[in-house]
Every structure is written in C-alpha cells, then in structure tokens.
Amino acid sequence: MAEPQFLIPAEAMTVASVASFLKAEWVGGDGERVVRTVSALSNAGPDSLTFLDNPKYAGQLAVTRAAACLVHARQRDLVPADVAAIIVPHPHAAFVSVSRRLYPQALKPQSLFGATGISPGAMIHPTARLESGVVVDPGVVVGPQAEIGSGTVLAAGAVVGPGVRIGRDCAIGPHVSLTHALLGNRVILHAGVRVGQDGFGFELGRERHAKVPQIGRVIIQDDVEIGANSTVDRGHVLDTVIGEGTKIDNLVQIAHNVEIGRHCVIVSQVGLSGSARLGDFVMLGGQVGVNNHVTVGSGAQIAATSIVKDDVPVGARWGGRPAKPVRDWFREIAALERLGRARPGEKD
C-alpha cells in the first residue's frame, strides 16, 4: 500500500523562479532545476528547497541533496557547489514565503469530504442565509437565522448556532461549535474549538450555588486564528472580544468578559480568567495564567508558566509565580541558587 501524500504542492517552480519570486540573487547549482517541495536540511531531496538559519546545522548543509538552499550572504560559501545558494537577508522568513505559495491549502482547515458546495448530508435551517461559494461538509448543522459569508468552509461535524454571524473566507474546522458569536473575515478555527458557551459564573451560597445567566456574546475580529480544542466563553453582561490578527494556540481557555487586543500571541494551555484585559501585541508563553480583572498592557511579554495576579505595565517583560519584572525574578532565582549551594552555618 502506497503512503498517502496529504498535501500536494499547488505548483512546481524552478530555482530561478524561486529567486525571482523572492527578488533575490542566486549562485551555483542549476537555475532550471525544478523545486516541487520544501524540506529540512536533513531530509531534503533533489527537488527540495531548504534553508540555513542557524550555523549549528552547517554540517547538514555540507551533505544536503537539495536543489537550492536559502542562506544569508555571510553563509553562501557553506553551500555545496551543486546546490543553488539563494541569498536572502532572512532565510527562514523567505522559506515561509515560498512554503505559503507551494502549499496554500496548509494554511487553514479544508473540506474533509472534498466538497465544493453544500453537502446533502448537512442540515441547514431554512431561515439561515449562506452566500454563494460557501462549502459545507456532511454532518454540519447550521441553525436558524445564522449568516455565513462567501468563501467560508465548514468542515464535517461543525455546529453553527442560531443567529451566529460568520464573515467571508473563514475556515471552521471539524467539530467546532459556535453559539452567541459574531466572526469577522478570514477567521480560522481549528478542530474542536468551542465558542460561545456560557461562562463559569455562580453566586456562591451556604446552601447552594446559584447559576448566573451569561447573556453576552463572543466577538472575534478579522484574521484571528484559534487552535484546536481551545474554548472561548461568552460574556456575562459584557462581550468577550478577541481583537484582529490575534493568534491563539491549542488548548487555551478564555473566560467570560475577557478582552484581547489586536495581534496578540497566546501559546498553548494559557488560561485567561474572567474580565482579564490584554492590550495589543501582548505575548503569553505556554501555561501562563492571568487572574480575573487583571490588565496586561500593550506590548507586554509574559514568560511561560507564569501566574499574573497584578496589572502589567505597557511593554513590560514579566515572569515567575507570581509574575514580576524579569530582572527581579532572575535576581530571586539567583539568590535561591546561592542559598542552595551554601553549607549550613556558612555565609555566601
């Protein structure tokens, strides 16, 4: 049984056309050699484009079989004579640009059924409105009064609740559920994302805990991407908002009334408690926890596994448990290490 090739290049390029696409010069190798795929140095074949960004991999470059390698000008002499050296200022960024051209279908979820229209196995409420060009896989459910823009793909098993609005050219992955939500254009939701379920709100009492109605919405602006199995709760009386261009990894929890600014980067297993606020271009490392009603200022960076209990200033770099300015955090770690090395009765 032949191994399946899951992603097929959209086109073949020559070494010369790759260089032209990147507006770069090239030396050595064969300009007419065909480039059909992109590869790491270690497994590049004769039809591969590869790159060198880190000098520690120069040994792999010396024995590569690639058609061409993207390198910085200072590394051009490391490229074997039979491999074309394409000179670029940022090799990995150039590698990404070519990869996007060769594999555009890898950028967002596609129809799992190879559908080009609305599958007869989908359930679309008669009051829902779908613009032309929407792709709907089998097993999709679209509720009453929902609206879906042209070019959007709904993969198998996705559920779109009543009144939900989805913009144009969005990609809704398999088994995504959407309720109480408004999505902009070019939004990507990967498999298993849950958007719009009620937030975790209870009025605590001695005899029982009364559930608090969550009557807000989720607003996801243009060009947001949310990774697999992440969850976004709808607001209590305000809306939960995710700003344009923000990128969210897998397994992230966003609680009710959270406001996330534009172009933030949130890595896997982050938890944002209710009413937390993130400014623009905030970066949160893996497993960061942000307490309720805390504000993280624009441009701030929080190190992985940190717990943020206090407001973070604009542009700050914090880390630790609890989080604090990284300089203070590193100083504390160094002090603890000195104490650990000291013998009883000795002074450091």
Side-chain angles (χ1 to χ4, degrees):
M1 181 181 296
E3 292 186 8
Q5 187 172 353
F6 293 107
L7 294 170
I8 308 298
E11 62 177 301
M13 304 174 71
T14 64
V15 168
S17 65
V18 169
S20 176
F21 170 68
L22 295 172
K23 297 180 174 58
E25 66 166 308
W26 60 276
V27 295
D30 179 1
E32 297 305 311
R33 198 164 168 184
V34 175
V35 173
R36 292 187 175 89
T37 189
V38 292
S39 306
L41 280 167
S42 59
N43 67 345
D47 61 352
S48 296
L49 174 72
T50 188
F51 74 100
L52 177 70
D53 219 12
N54 189 330
K56 72 180 282 189
Y57 297 108
Q60 294 182 13
L61 174 59
V63 295
T64 188
R65 299 187 301 121
C69 182
L70 300 162
V71 292
H72 192 276
R74 62 176 175 270
Q75 297 161 334
R76 63 191 299 174
D77 294 337
L78 301 177
V79 182
D82 60 340
V83 177
I86 301 177
I87 315 303
V88 291
H90 305 289
H92 185 258
F95 185 77
V96 170
S97 294
V98 178
S99 300
R100 289 171 62 94
R101 176 165 173 171
L102 291 177
Y103 295 98
Q105 72 274 35
L107 297 175
K108 59 184 180 180
Q110 305 290 316
S111 166
L112 298 183
F113 200 66
T116 56
I118 298 175
S119 167
M123 298 183 65
I124 313 293
H125 194 276
T127 63
R129 189 171 73 86
L130 279 62
E131 292 184 343
S132 62
V134 173
V135 175
V136 182
D137 268 1
V140 169
V141 176
V142 179
Q145 309 298 326
E147 296 182 6
I148 302 172
S150 63
T152 289
V153 175
L154 303 179
V159 176
V160 179
V164 167
R165 304 289 190 268
I166 301 175
R168 294 172 175 166
D169 298 314
C170 296
I172 309 302
H175 295 284
V176 169
S177 62
L178 282 164
T179 65
H180 308 85
L182 307 176
L183 278 62
N185 300 321
R186 300 175 301 280
V187 171
I188 298 174
L189 304 181
H190 289 275
V193 168
R194 308 299 184 194
V195 173
Q197 61 281 340
D198 62 343
F200 190 70
F202 296 88
E203 181 65 26
L204 304 183
R206 291 180 178 271
E207 297 182 359
R208 67 184 181 89
H209 307 313
K211 188 176 182 68
V212 177
Q214 309 286 304
I215 62 172
R217 307 169 299 178
V218 175
I219 298 175
I220 300 177
Q221 297 179 359
D222 294 349
D223 299 305
V224 168
E225 182 165 351
I226 302 180
N229 293 327
S230 292
T231 56
V232 185
D233 296 343
R234 68 178 183 265
H236 166 31
V237 289
L238 300 173
D239 293 328
T240 302
V241 180
I242 302 177
E244 67 173 301
T246 284
K247 311 302 181 186
I248 298 172
D249 199 358
N250 303 334
L251 297 170
V252 170
Q253 157 64 7
I254 299 171
H256 58 196
N257 298 351
V258 167
E259 293 184 10
I260 299 174
R262 300 175 304 116
H263 305 292
C264 296
V265 175
I266 300 175
V267 183
S268 181
Q269 298 184 9
V270 164
L272 301 178
S273 300
S275 299
R277 303 284 186 271
L278 272 59
D280 299 336
F281 291 94
V282 169
M283 300 183 69
L284 303 181
Q287 295 186 335
V288 165
V290 179
N291 206 357
N292 57 312
H293 300 280
V294 164
T295 297
V296 180
S298 292
Q301 299 179 17
I302 310 297
T305 75
S306 299
I307 302 298
V308 183
K309 69 177 185 64
D310 300 310
D311 290 349
V312 179
V314 170
R317 298 176 65 237
W318 281 27
R321 303 166 73 92
K324 60 199 69 176
V326 289
R327 186 170 297 178
D328 296 341
W329 179 36
F330 290 164
R331 187 180 296 117
E332 289 180 2
I333 292 171
L336 286 172
E337 289 177 346
R338 288 195 298 271
L339 285 173
R341 289 194 301 266
R343 295 180 179 178
E346 291 183 348
K347 293 183 179 180
D348 188 30

